[in-house]
Amino acid sequence: MRIVRLPPERLDELEPLWTALVGHQYALTPHLSDRARPLPDTWRDRRELERRWLEEEPRSFVLAAELEGALAGYAFVRLVATNTSATVAMSEPHAELATLSVAPDVRGRGIGRELMRAVHEELRRIGVRDLTFGVITTNSDAIRFYEREGAVPFVTVFLQRVE
């Protein structure tokens, strides 16, 4: 396995990894099934958002794990210029791990861990000290993974329909 920096013109190659991640999230959140968007729509919108993030902040980056010539996972990291927390000090800029996805057939082989190590290495290189990210609350495997990586819980986001 090797970790490579993925240029913006290769974003389209991430679609299978993105749709696998979203499908996994849908399976973990059956209580939100009435809100699930079609997978092609989620990818179209996410790809455009990621392109915009890369254009707006050139220090944002995508790292991909290549395994036997195929993409096996990726991490999309965007830099955020200002601290949005009034109560917790964060580096400015700080980073947001917008996506971490590993192909379902190779999960459990250390790919996520290697991607996180590469993310941390790049953030240290560019002088960013803090990394934030969200996790589906029912994804206990991901929560354990991030806690093993040294992350601590900070904010829980709730969703409520206004009727």
Side-chain angles (χ1 to χ4, degrees):
M1 175 183 53
R2 69 183 193 125
I3 306 293
V4 298
R5 192 176 186 119
L6 210 65
E9 57 270 12
R10 290 188 62 193
L11 283 179
D12 287 336
E13 296 175 41
L14 301 174
E15 181 176 9
L17 293 165
W18 169 260
T19 56
L21 173 65
V22 174
H24 183 60
Q25 290 174 345
Y26 286 174
L28 291 169
T29 55
H31 57 288
L32 297 175
S33 62
D34 63 325
R35 294 173 176 239
R37 297 179 61 217
L39 287 174
D41 292 352
T42 70
W43 171 245
R44 180 198 65 230
D45 294 347
R46 184 54 170 229
R47 182 187 61 225
E48 292 313 308
L49 184 59
E50 289 177 350
R51 283 187 204 283
R52 191 172 75 236
W53 286 339
L54 290 170
E55 288 171 6
E56 291 172 357
E57 175 48 77
R59 294 174 298 172
S60 295
F61 57 92
V62 183
L63 298 177
E66 291 182 339
L67 185 63
E68 299 172 5
L71 293 183
Y74 81 101
F76 188 102
V77 178
R78 67 185 283 246
L79 268 59
V80 180
T82 57
N83 180 358
T84 56
S85 172
T87 60
V88 175
M90 284 189 255
S91 61
E92 291 189 31
H94 69 277
E96 175 192 9
L97 179 65
T99 306
L100 179 66
S101 179
V102 174
D105 59 329
V106 294
R107 288 185 186 140
R109 292 176 54 181
I111 294 169
R113 184 175 54 250
E114 290 303 315
L115 281 166
M116 286 300 289
R117 286 187 180 139
V119 164
H120 288 185
E121 183 177 305
E122 178 64 11
L123 291 175
R124 281 191 299 275
R125 187 187 74 72
I126 62 176
V128 174
R129 292 187 345 252
D130 292 304
L131 176 66
T132 63
F133 47 88
V135 180
I136 298 293
T137 57
T138 55
N139 192 344
S140 55
D141 290 340
I143 291 168
R144 279 192 303 277
F145 167 78
Y146 289 119
E147 287 175 339
R148 282 192 311 268
E149 293 295 309
V152 294
F154 173 48
V155 174
T156 300
V157 176
F158 284 82
L159 176 65
Q160 180 180 30
R161 176 142 349 242
V162 177
E163 309 222 21

